[in-house]
Amino acid sequence: MLSEEERREIQAEIPHYEQKRACCIEAMKIVQQHRGWVSDESIQDIAEVLEMTPDELDGVATFYNLIFRRPVGKHVILVCDSVSCWIVGYDHIRDHLTTRLGIHFGETSADGRFTLLPIACLGTCDHAPALMVDEDLYRDLDPEKVDEILAKYQ
Amino acid sequence: MERPLTQNIRPGEEPLDLKEYERAGGYQAVRRALRNMTPQMITQAVKDSNLRGRGGAGFPAGLKWSFVPMGDDAPHPKYMIANTDEMEPGTFKDRLLVEGDPHQLIEGVIISSYAIQANVAYIFVRWAYKLAAKRLNQAISEAYENHYLGKNILGSGYSLELYLHVSAGRYMCGEETGMLNALEGRRAIPRAKPPHPTTIGLWGKPTVVNNVETLCSVPHIVNKGVEWFKSLSHTQEGGTKIYGVSGKVKRPGAWELPMGTTIRELLEEHAGGMRDGVQFRGVLPGGASTDFLVEEHLDVPMDFDSVQKAGSRMGTGTMIVLDDQTCPVGMVQNLEYFFARESCGWCTPCRDGLPWTAQMLQAIEEGQGQSRDLERLAAHTKLLGPGHTFCALAPGAMEPLQSALKYFRQDFERHIHEKRCPWR
């Protein structure tokens, strides 16, 4: 069931669009903000509020890579793997992260702290390589800096 | 040298709030437009200024606006969308504008919306631009409080609602019809054109989608006029341009410069030249989906027509430099992997052709390539090229590949003959 707060936040977004269903990406982001991911049950609940069928909504959910349809760790690391970062050392950043966390892309660390995902160009190419943890952007990375960043997220 | 787009931007500091922006001359263009100019006058000025779309395609902005049905019989409401989905790899110019001076974008949106008589506008921001979204939200509320947005703006009788939409990812959202689908709460697949969004767009109503940098130029044209705007440029295409350089140069960055600044000046003066010990080999002049240019092209002025004549596209104007210690095959593999992952899957050449392309490049890079692979790759650049796909994603993906096969063919051949990557 959606919480009162989730419902309220979704209702506030609906008038920004011509049709209710147009608000569905916003609605899924709201639920994900509260729960970390969007479960099958949430898909049903959101679909009901927006007068859509669950399969219709799931078709939208699965298109967008930042709507998580599976549980993620407490923090999500998004590593830019696009060209400018690749040229100046993305490989080292990726290898350092996979070794330190003992996981590959798409996996969550055993302690549930981090999920590691690749992401397309973060638009900060003059400070490559770059990554985001949750909503925070980190730039000009090297392996030591990555260690400092990881230590900040418990 | 005048730098209208970045004049208020103070790197590392908070952007101007509404009062500070007004003191710097901000929102004067909105007043002038709403009080003294008809929508047609604004569209004509933008046409005459030769402002070409800064999102990559370079379509003349005023011409695009002139396709929108006007008058009392026109469908209602009409929509204006500010494309802030900057996801072209190697591109970081709109981030600078939106984080650095959000009110400038809002002012551009208001005037442009008025020019096509749109009463609803969206700023479509990619998920990753958290700071930009936060600053836009703040600036939009200030603009509402001060009657630059909402009903009857400054008593002019013109009304505009402006909403921020923060996306949930995918490169396809930046394609203008994909963006319409995303705003309607659908998968961001492209729509058939014609009809163009200017007649049948968001929810079937006339809609203009413009890039951030394009919209930010509009208030300055209104304030200072067409001749002034044209005089900012070194070439026929009006205005300044935010150029950027990334890769192994001494000072990667973005700078506002006269339209038509040469590649050499950007690389050598502004980016400080190559890092010590590395040599220049080539450059993607305007993002991942543009053809490589090489040494012989360094004196090409960066504007849409000149770069096209040189065999590439200016695209977003933010260039990515290839150096002699970076493997060109590996670089193209990285690019094709990106395009394969971001393909929306709507049409077969793109959905199936891009993964094949990426896999062939990976095989070559890992020393498992065969000599026939180069012909196969060349064939793909045609099969996935213009005219065979639903939108410009796959043809864009083929641009760096076809030019790499042309300029760096020996490097591909070495991988195949030596059965390894010579750079590893």
Side-chain angles (χ1 to χ4, degrees):
Chain A
M1 247 192 20
L2 297 178
S3 70
E4 268 317 300
E5 206 179 346
E6 286 167 330
R7 250 171 222 285
R8 206 169 44 242
E9 286 175 30
I10 293 170
Q11 291 297 341
E13 289 291 332
I14 291 175
H16 296 181
Y17 301 90
E18 184 74 26
Q19 291 170 356
K20 250 187 178 182
R21 66 157 292 157
C23 182
C24 70
I25 295 165
E26 210 57 60
M28 290 190 285
K29 276 167 38 206
I30 288 168
V31 168
Q32 185 164 293
Q33 190 73 35
H34 288 277
R35 301 169 190 233
W37 66 298
V38 181
S39 66
D40 289 351
E41 192 199 336
S42 296
I43 289 283
Q44 300 226 0
D45 295 340
I46 297 166
E48 198 183 316
V49 173
L50 299 179
E51 294 159 6
M52 297 170 76
T53 63
D55 63 301
E56 215 181 348
L57 181 62
D58 204 15
V60 179
T62 52
F63 185 86
Y64 294 93
N65 61 310
L66 294 162
I67 299 294
F68 304 139
R69 285 288 280 112
R70 280 191 286 167
V72 292
K74 201 168 162 198
H75 305 288
V76 177
I77 305 175
L78 298 163
V79 189
C80 174
D81 64 356
S82 289
V83 63
S84 302
C85 284
W86 179 83
I87 290 174
V88 298
Y90 152 77
D91 283 358
H92 300 299
I93 304 302
R94 176 202 55 203
D95 293 349
H96 188 72
L97 277 165
T98 50
T99 310
R100 270 290 310 270
L101 301 173
I103 50 172
H104 293 287
F105 280 132
E107 296 175 351
T108 299
S109 59
D111 59 3
R113 248 173 85 204
F114 293 110
T115 295
L116 190 62
L117 295 172
I119 195 161
C121 182
L122 287 171
T124 188
C125 319
D126 50 343
H127 292 280
L131 59 74
M132 288 180 82
V133 183
D134 302 333
E135 304 205 339
D136 309 323
L137 175 67
Y138 296 96
R139 322 191 293 173
D140 299 309
L141 298 174
D142 55 41
E144 293 78 61
K145 229 171 170 174
V146 169
D147 287 340
E148 288 165 28
I149 295 164
L150 291 181
K152 284 165 60 174
Y153 295 87
Q154 291 307 314
Chain B
M1 192 196 315
E2 286 185 273
R3 294 191 168 91
L5 298 176
T6 53
Q7 64 193 3
N8 295 330
I9 297 179
R10 304 164 297 186
E13 290 180 41
E14 287 290 308
L16 302 188
D17 65 19
L18 186 134
K19 291 294 163 205
E20 292 166 327
Y21 180 72
E22 283 179 329
R23 276 201 291 278
Y27 289 115
Q28 282 305 317
V30 163
R31 289 173 194 278
R32 185 187 299 258
L34 296 186
R35 287 184 185 152
N36 306 331
M37 295 175 85
T38 63
Q40 289 74 13
M41 284 163 76
I42 297 170
T43 299
Q44 192 59 46
V46 171
K47 254 188 187 172
D48 293 344
S49 72
N50 226 339
L51 171 64
R52 294 182 60 173
R54 306 292 200 237
F59 194 81
L63 186 62
K64 192 190 262 190
W65 296 0
S66 71
F67 299 147
V68 175
M70 298 294 285
D72 295 340
D73 297 335
H76 178 83
K78 292 184 265 188
Y79 296 95
M80 168 61 70
I81 303 171
N83 187 341
T84 319
D85 195 54
E86 188 164 68
M87 277 186 76
E88 178 74 15
T91 303
F92 49 102
K93 66 182 183 70
D94 296 335
R95 181 199 276 273
L96 171 77
L97 290 170
V98 178
E99 287 183 356
D101 200 3
H103 279 292
Q104 176 175 245
L105 173 60
I106 293 169
E107 184 169 19
V109 168
I110 298 168
I111 299 167
S112 309
S113 300
Y114 172 73
I116 61 158
Q117 290 290 292
N119 294 115
V120 183
Y122 291 94
I123 299 180
F124 190 107
V125 184
R126 67 175 293 196
W127 181 93
Y129 281 12
K130 294 293 172 193
L131 184 61
K134 187 176 150 226
R135 288 178 174 176
L136 278 169
N137 253 328
Q138 170 69 22
I140 290 170
S141 9
E142 286 179 334
Y144 267 105
E145 283 161 24
N146 288 272
H147 309 290
Y148 291 118
L149 287 171
K151 299 235 178 316
N152 191 17
I153 296 170
L154 305 172
S156 65
Y158 172 67
S159 301
L160 179 68
E161 300 297 332
L162 173 61
Y163 304 116
L164 186 68
H165 176 91
V166 179
S167 175
R170 296 305 291 275
Y171 179 63
M172 268 306 296
C173 291
E175 198 275 341
E176 71 172 354
T177 60
M179 180 167 285
L180 302 180
N181 280 330
L183 275 170
E184 290 184 8
R186 303 173 196 278
R187 296 168 78 92
I189 55 175
R191 296 179 179 179
K193 290 193 270 195
H196 288 274
T198 42
T199 45
I200 308 282
L202 196 57
W203 293 295
K205 297 297 197 311
T207 304
V208 166
V209 182
N210 278 143
N211 168 261
V212 165
E213 190 184 351
T214 313
L215 291 166
C216 287
S217 300
V218 171
H220 304 290
I221 296 172
V222 167
N223 267 336
K224 296 194 166 170
V226 169
E227 289 314 311
W228 169 85
F229 189 76
K230 284 160 90 169
S231 77
L232 295 172
S233 165
H234 285 331
T235 61
Q236 293 302 307
E237 298 169 19
T240 55
K241 176 79 192 77
I242 313 269
Y243 294 109
V245 179
S246 66
K248 288 184 189 159
V249 293
K250 285 205 179 96
R251 292 191 305 269
W255 314 274
E256 181 181 11
L257 295 164
M259 178 65 90
T261 301
T262 64
I263 299 173
R264 187 186 301 280
E265 182 183 331
L266 286 164
L267 286 178
E268 292 176 3
E269 287 181 36
H270 302 285
M274 300 304 291
R275 286 188 198 169
D276 293 335
V278 302
Q279 299 283 322
F280 172 88
R281 283 204 74 198
V283 63
L284 299 173
S289 59
T290 59
D291 283 275
F292 278 99
L293 294 178
V294 292
E295 188 95 36
E296 67 188 83
H297 303 114
L298 285 177
D299 293 310
V300 170
M302 283 279 282
D303 70 13
F304 292 104
D305 284 345
S306 310
V307 180
Q308 192 164 7
K309 271 189 212 127
S312 183
R313 292 189 305 118
M314 183 168 79
T316 61
T318 41
M319 53 180 72
I320 308 153
V321 180
L322 169 68
D323 61 90
D324 66 338
Q325 291 177 20
T326 300
C327 172
V329 177
M331 179 167 168
V332 177
Q333 184 204 337
N334 175 280
L335 295 168
E336 299 310 325
Y337 174 75
F338 161 83
F339 288 113
R341 188 174 67 193
E342 294 300 332
S343 170
C344 76
W346 182 243
C347 65
T348 310
C350 182
R351 181 187 60 235
D352 285 1
L354 286 173
W356 273 106
T357 307
Q359 282 165 29
M360 270 190 279
L361 287 163
Q362 186 181 347
I364 297 171
E365 177 66 3
E366 290 174 354
Q368 290 155 9
Q370 301 164 2
S371 32
R372 276 183 61 195
D373 286 349
L374 296 187
E375 292 156 44
R376 289 190 184 118
L377 284 172
H380 273 69
T381 65
K382 301 289 179 292
L383 293 168
L384 275 67
H388 296 281
T389 60
F390 215 76
C391 82
L393 189 145
M398 293 301 102
E399 291 180 25
L401 175 60
Q402 69 193 9
S403 47
L405 288 170
K406 178 172 155 195
Y407 294 120
F408 310 119
R409 193 173 186 89
Q410 287 181 337
D411 298 313
F412 283 81
E413 286 167 350
R414 264 187 82 189
H415 279 75
I416 293 169
H417 295 148
E418 295 178 20
K419 297 192 187 308
R420 67 185 185 97
C421 170
W423 276 267
R424 287 194 197 179

